[in-house]
Amino acid sequence: MKRKTGIVNLVVLALLSGAAHAQAARDYISVVGSSTVYPFATVVAEQFGRTSNYKTPKIESTGSGGGFKLFCAGVGVRHPDIINSSRRIKSSEVDKCAGNGVQDIIEVKIGYDGIVLANSIKADTYELSRRDIFLALAKEVPDPDGTEKLVPNPYQRWNEINATLPATVIEVLGPPPTSGTRDAFVELAMEGGCKTFPWIAAIKKQDKGRFKSICHMIREDGRFIEAGENDNLIVQKLRANPQAIGIFGFSFLDQNTDVVHGSLIDGREPTFEAIAAGDYPISRPLYFYVKKAHIGAIPGIREYLAEFISERAVGEEGYLTDKGLIPLVGEERAAVLSDVERLKPLKLARN
Amino acid sequence: MPEEKITAGGKSSGTYNLMSFDESRRRVKAGLRKRHRKERQFRLMGIGSVLLGISFLVFLFTTIIGNGYSAFWQTWIQLDITFEESVIDPDGNRAPEALSSANYSRLIRGSLLEIFPEVTGRRDRRALNALVSNGAVFEIRDLVMADPDLVGSTRSLWLLADDEVDMLIKGQVDRSLEQGSRRLKDTQIEWIDQLQADGRVEKRFNTLFFSSGDSREPELAGIWGAVKGSFFMLLVTLLLSFPLGVAAAVYLEELAPKSRWVDLIEININNLAAVPSIIYGLLGLAIFINFFGLPRSVPLVGGLVLTLMTLPVIIIAGRASLKSVPPSVREAALGVGASQMQVVTHHVLPLAMPGMLTGAIIGMARALGESAPLLMIGMVAFIVEAPGSPLDPSTALPIQVYLWADSPERAFVERTSAAIMVLLLFLLLMNVTAVWLRSKFERRW
């Protein structure tokens, strides 16, 4: 048996050294990051692979946070070249990157994604305000009797919050805290509604942490149900339960208009036009970040960037727009184009 | 202790007081109905649980097959494509670069407009072009690249339809809904109906599903890349785990001296077989990727991780089948002067091999269906090109199912189920092989 294990060891060694060799020259772009940007980035990658002479980039769906960990681990073929993110890079992440030698990062804003609250077409459309959303989902809400103190969320039905809403039980399916969609939802919808109480808004100036904990905490008594990262699953559950509301990205609403319809938020319908114009209140920008040191070292990065921001991808009739991405327009787009052209590195304003 | 029982049933203990024959008969008879009822209940419960299990299985299979069988057919549209030289090759020198970067979508647009000359306006024309898959352009390009003489001629070609059209033809779009609630517009449905009336729409067996890699266009997406990735991974796993597992089993069973260390190792191996597979993923991430610096998302690392996972299974199965070889075989061999090594390699191992193979195949089948450890090592990725070696990035079948299940396009639902069917088929084949091997080569002593 000794000889056999010896052979096995040799095989392993050979494989390992071969692998090390393969790593020395990577001829494809390696992308990691957000599962929200994944459906868009993959379309670009596929087009890029088909129309250029470069290999199709490899795109991993790791989530924004997990992606930044990998991205900031260092410079070199072992580390990814690009990270997709459904939120802006944090200054702590920039510091971590810099600590590992990742100095110049190019930021590319690719467009917007609306977050919709949708329910089955078998039930009526909800007309919600951000204040309603906050009152329905926060862990603690201002006392309904009007005094300026917080009580555990007492609301069980929508009409208890706002008499114009139906008398159905509050039941909201949403993403878990690890998701970028959840971060954006909490920041835009919950905090937006939270700020409509002047005395809570006043807390922000004195105690930022307390303000955040009031506005960002979601109730845990079963009215808000964490439904995992799979947005298709949420759509399926909404079909089965017409009372419930689901929270997911606009592209899933766009693909499932025969099953669900989006609730009006502050009187705005979640349509492509409303999100593009910035009228729909819960929308967030999507980004990707590129390691400048890898441009030139890994073939095709510059061309991939050009494809991603090209007219045929994110133009008004581009293929990403067809997939439900809400593209940048006007000056914002011009600024991104010129930044990418000059490969301008990111500078975060310290706050 | 029958006497005691009867005594206990009698009036007084201590005295040896046998019941009369009739009395005991009466008692047995009285209890008999109850005993029979209990037996019937037990039987019914057993049958019930088997039926429940079967009904769940039937439900699972009917949903998967019901959702997925349609993915094996795909809609094609016939168009008369004129390979205009002015579009494809304005310079007229047939240079491959010019041919490969020509604007072939103009040819498709042109031929659609010939069929529907009444369509005007940018929006409507765009809607018309959307009937044909984005992949059709590359289909035409490849045709022209292969045969540059086509330029200037007109051919009637079958082109891949867009996934929305495919869904309509398969009856998965509700025509009765109002226009705003479905992806296809009324005009588009009219066009498709007209094309269908002209005999220009056809459903064909979906070979692309088996021959192409992943794609974000459902009509172009296939499982070949994932199948190849799974194949390379299992190859690495088999090459490493089978020899290692057999060697470990033989040593522990035949050669190792009985000691507390060996017992400890044995307990640990049994425990390892029950460790959740995600743990192996973490281990693989820490050792193979972070320490050895192997690339992410490659089948080699996947295979190494799955090796760690299947080794205990193979060792345990190997030891069990070595144990089942009767000691008389060893004693007889030793008795005619064979060395310990010869006993093992000439007699015990060949007899134990079928059992070991069965264990290995079952371990492999488990490895094939495993997705959790692969999450950690970057296999959850969009990879279009099928891997050419265990060192090319790739995905695996279960991961492909996971990725498609999370895609927004409706047409991916059937593809998810179809991929599950393929995965189940492979698992079934492996398990059948294991059963067949066992029944063919197993020797009863």
Side-chain angles (χ1 to χ4, degrees):
Chain A
M1 288 303 101
K2 234 178 197 164
R3 196 189 295 158
K4 215 170 202 172
T5 38
I7 291 169
V8 170
N9 284 338
L10 276 181
V11 170
V12 173
L13 272 181
L15 285 173
L16 288 184
S17 59
H21 176 73
Q23 269 303 79
R26 177 153 56 77
D27 59 352
Y28 56 88
I29 302 170
S30 167
V31 184
V32 295
S34 160
S35 55
T36 311
V37 186
Y38 175 87
F40 304 122
T42 44
V43 180
V44 178
E46 195 177 344
Q47 274 291 325
F48 173 74
R50 279 180 195 274
T51 51
S52 73
N53 294 321
Y54 300 101
K55 281 197 168 179
T56 310
K58 178 191 85 177
I59 301 183
E60 282 183 49
S61 168
T62 59
S64 302
F68 276 116
K69 260 190 203 163
L70 291 166
F71 180 80
C72 289
V75 173
V77 285
R78 281 187 55 195
H79 305 290
D81 314 313
I82 295 174
I83 167 159
N84 300 322
S85 177
S86 57
R87 57 168 171 77
R88 203 156 188 228
I89 190 169
K90 292 177 188 164
S91 58
S92 61
E93 286 160 343
V94 173
D95 294 343
K96 199 180 163 221
C97 267
N100 288 328
V102 184
Q103 290 296 347
D104 286 347
I105 303 170
I106 301 157
E107 178 181 72
V108 184
K109 197 182 199 179
I110 51 175
Y112 290 91
D113 181 35
I115 297 174
V116 298
L117 281 78
N119 65 330
S120 164
I121 50 169
K122 282 180 247 164
D124 291 335
T125 316
Y126 284 89
E127 288 181 33
L128 302 169
S129 66
R130 277 178 284 178
R131 189 184 178 116
D132 296 337
I133 297 173
F134 168 70
L135 289 177
L137 297 179
K139 192 169 184 187
E140 289 185 316
V141 295
D143 199 325
D145 66 16
T147 46
E148 295 187 357
K149 65 175 169 43
L150 293 167
V151 292
N153 197 331
Y155 302 113
Q156 298 297 322
R157 289 175 185 277
W158 287 102
N159 65 342
E160 293 165 19
I161 297 167
N162 183 341
T164 60
L165 291 170
T168 46
V169 174
I170 298 170
E171 212 177 339
V172 179
L173 303 157
T178 47
S179 151
T181 311
R182 165 82 166 254
D183 292 344
F185 172 77
V186 163
E187 215 159 278
L188 296 163
M190 299 280 290
E191 200 178 311
C194 188
K195 273 192 291 203
T196 58
F197 294 92
W199 64 274
I200 300 183
I203 294 177
K204 187 174 185 181
K205 294 195 188 85
Q206 299 150 13
D207 187 348
K208 231 175 165 184
R210 176 154 162 69
F211 173 75
K212 271 200 168 165
S213 83
I214 296 172
C215 295
H216 289 198
M217 288 276 266
I218 286 191
R219 65 198 294 186
E220 290 156 352
D221 57 355
R223 304 264 70 90
F224 179 87
I225 302 147
E226 280 174 13
E229 296 259 19
N230 189 330
D231 291 348
N232 266 338
L233 207 65
I234 298 185
V235 174
Q236 293 305 318
K237 284 182 179 161
L238 292 182
R239 191 208 290 258
N241 182 359
Q243 277 194 10
I245 291 185
I247 301 172
F248 43 81
F250 173 74
S251 54
F252 280 83
L253 176 68
D254 197 31
Q255 292 279 347
N256 290 292
T257 41
D258 56 342
V259 182
V260 289
H261 50 196
S263 311
L264 273 64
I265 309 291
D266 294 344
R268 300 284 181 178
E269 217 180 318
T271 59
F272 186 90
E273 290 75 18
I275 301 170
D279 290 338
Y280 183 74
I282 323 177
S283 79
R284 50 151 169 198
L286 302 177
Y287 300 89
F288 67 87
Y289 295 87
V290 187
K291 266 179 212 166
K292 195 167 181 181
H294 283 200
I295 297 179
I298 307 288
I301 294 185
R302 206 182 260 270
E303 290 78 4
Y304 175 76
L305 281 181
E307 175 76 41
F308 218 127
I309 57 167
S310 70
E311 188 66 27
R312 64 185 186 134
V314 290
E316 209 171 306
E317 298 190 342
Y319 52 78
L320 285 184
T321 317
D322 281 348
K323 288 276 179 196
L325 180 79
I326 286 114
L328 304 176
V329 283
E331 275 175 31
E332 210 175 8
R333 177 162 157 78
V336 168
L337 281 174
S338 90
D339 283 358
V340 171
E341 183 67 31
R342 289 181 291 129
L343 300 177
K344 186 180 146 200
L346 165 83
K347 284 228 164 52
L348 275 191
R350 300 278 154 170
N351 47 1
Chain B
M1 270 124 254
E3 293 95 340
E4 260 182 40
K5 221 175 191 170
I6 291 168
T7 327
K11 294 250 163 59
S12 59
S13 59
T15 48
Y16 210 71
N17 185 9
L18 263 178
M19 270 183 286
S20 70
F21 180 66
D22 284 344
E23 169 65 9
S24 61
R25 224 178 113 103
R26 192 188 60 74
R27 284 200 188 179
V28 168
K29 257 201 162 160
L32 204 57
R33 274 183 61 190
K34 203 173 158 195
R35 276 161 58 195
H36 280 174
R37 198 173 65 230
K38 277 203 166 153
E39 197 183 313
R40 268 202 310 279
Q41 276 172 353
F42 188 70
R43 221 175 252 271
L44 278 177
M45 265 163 68
I47 293 174
S49 59
V50 169
L51 283 180
L52 192 69
I54 289 178
S55 63
F56 278 132
L57 201 66
V58 167
F59 177 72
L60 180 76
F61 274 89
T62 43
T63 28
I64 288 175
I65 295 175
N67 279 336
Y69 78 96
S70 52
F72 296 116
W73 278 268
Q74 191 65 40
T75 309
W76 293 69
I77 297 179
Q78 190 184 36
L79 292 179
D80 302 318
I81 301 285
T82 309
F83 296 93
E84 286 169 60
E85 185 163 15
S86 61
V87 176
I88 301 174
D89 192 11
D91 301 338
N93 51 13
R94 305 285 185 272
E97 302 85 59
L99 292 184
S100 102
S101 62
N103 187 359
Y104 291 101
S105 58
R106 251 179 80 183
L107 301 182
I108 300 177
R109 271 181 279 170
S111 94
L112 277 168
L113 274 181
E114 242 167 68
I115 304 174
F116 301 102
E118 73 279 8
V119 178
T120 50
R122 240 158 59 90
R123 265 184 171 264
D124 282 350
R125 288 198 176 176
R126 220 171 113 71
L128 181 61
N129 296 331
L131 297 185
V132 178
S133 162
N134 293 342
V137 175
F138 305 108
E139 215 178 312
I140 299 180
R141 183 186 70 180
D142 293 346
L143 269 180
V144 175
M145 297 287 283
D147 181 12
D149 294 339
L150 277 175
V151 178
S153 66
T154 300
R155 287 286 175 90
S156 173
L157 292 178
W158 285 96
L159 298 173
L160 208 50
D162 189 65
D163 56 309
E164 304 289 348
V165 178
D166 188 46
M167 288 289 102
L168 180 80
I169 298 287
K170 286 172 179 166
Q172 300 197 20
V173 174
D174 189 352
R175 286 168 183 252
S176 64
L177 283 174
E178 55 176 312
Q179 176 157 273
S181 327
R182 54 175 140 75
R183 303 268 307 157
L184 283 174
K185 298 195 186 98
D186 288 341
T187 47
Q188 284 178 305
I189 294 186
E190 270 170 40
W191 295 329
I192 298 164
D193 288 343
Q194 194 185 329
L195 282 173
Q196 210 168 9
D198 293 349
R200 285 180 179 274
V201 177
E202 195 176 278
K203 273 208 281 182
R204 296 185 180 179
F205 186 70
N206 189 359
T207 46
L208 267 179
F209 181 72
F210 297 98
S211 65
S212 65
D214 196 6
S215 169
R216 283 285 293 130
E217 301 297 330
E219 69 272 14
L220 297 174
I223 51 167
W224 182 235
V227 167
K228 254 184 128 177
S230 276
F231 169 75
F232 282 130
M233 236 158 36
L234 287 193
L235 190 73
V236 172
T237 310
L238 187 69
L239 285 181
L240 293 177
S241 66
F242 190 63
L244 282 177
V246 169
V250 167
Y251 177 77
L252 287 174
E253 196 59 36
E254 302 288 330
L255 307 171
K258 289 269 167 274
S259 74
R260 282 172 57 190
W261 287 112
V262 176
D263 288 345
L264 194 71
I265 290 171
E266 193 181 332
I267 292 169
N268 274 309
I269 289 175
N270 289 342
N271 278 336
L272 277 178
V275 166
S277 54
I278 187 91
I279 311 279
Y280 291 106
L282 285 167
L283 193 70
L285 177 68
I287 295 178
F288 300 124
I289 292 179
N290 291 344
F291 183 72
F292 280 116
L294 291 177
R296 289 172 67 83
S297 337
V298 298
L300 173 70
V301 178
L304 287 169
V305 168
L306 294 177
T307 301
L308 296 180
M309 199 192 78
T310 37
L311 255 182
V313 178
I314 293 182
I315 294 175
I316 291 170
R319 294 191 65 183
S321 66
L322 285 170
K323 254 191 202 123
S324 71
V325 176
S328 56
V329 173
R330 298 185 182 86
E331 282 154 16
L334 286 171
V336 295
S339 72
Q340 185 77 342
M341 198 66 202
Q342 284 170 325
V343 172
V344 171
T345 52
H346 293 180
H347 301 281
V348 179
L349 208 49
L351 289 170
M353 214 23 119
M356 288 178 156
L357 280 176
T358 310
I361 292 174
I362 288 169
M364 289 292 128
R366 197 185 137 196
L368 174 64
E370 199 56 73
S371 59
L374 306 181
L375 300 178
M376 308 304 304
I377 55 169
M379 303 285 280
V380 185
F382 177 73
I383 291 150
V384 173
E385 282 135 21
S389 78
L391 287 169
D392 292 334
S394 96
T395 174
L397 265 176
I399 302 285
Q400 191 67 73
V401 170
Y402 172 78
L403 284 173
W404 284 349
D406 205 11
S407 300
E409 288 81 7
R410 181 69 55 82
F412 272 120
V413 174
E414 59 171 29
R415 261 143 232 277
T416 308
S417 295
I420 295 174
M421 280 155 76
V422 173
L423 182 62
L424 284 179
L425 185 77
F426 279 123
L427 289 176
L428 200 69
L429 280 179
M430 290 172 88
N431 283 326
V432 165
T433 318
V435 171
W436 177 77
L437 271 179
R438 195 164 55 207
S439 65
K440 187 159 166 63
F441 293 108
E442 193 182 44
R443 282 181 71 171
R444 300 208 172 274
W445 305 91

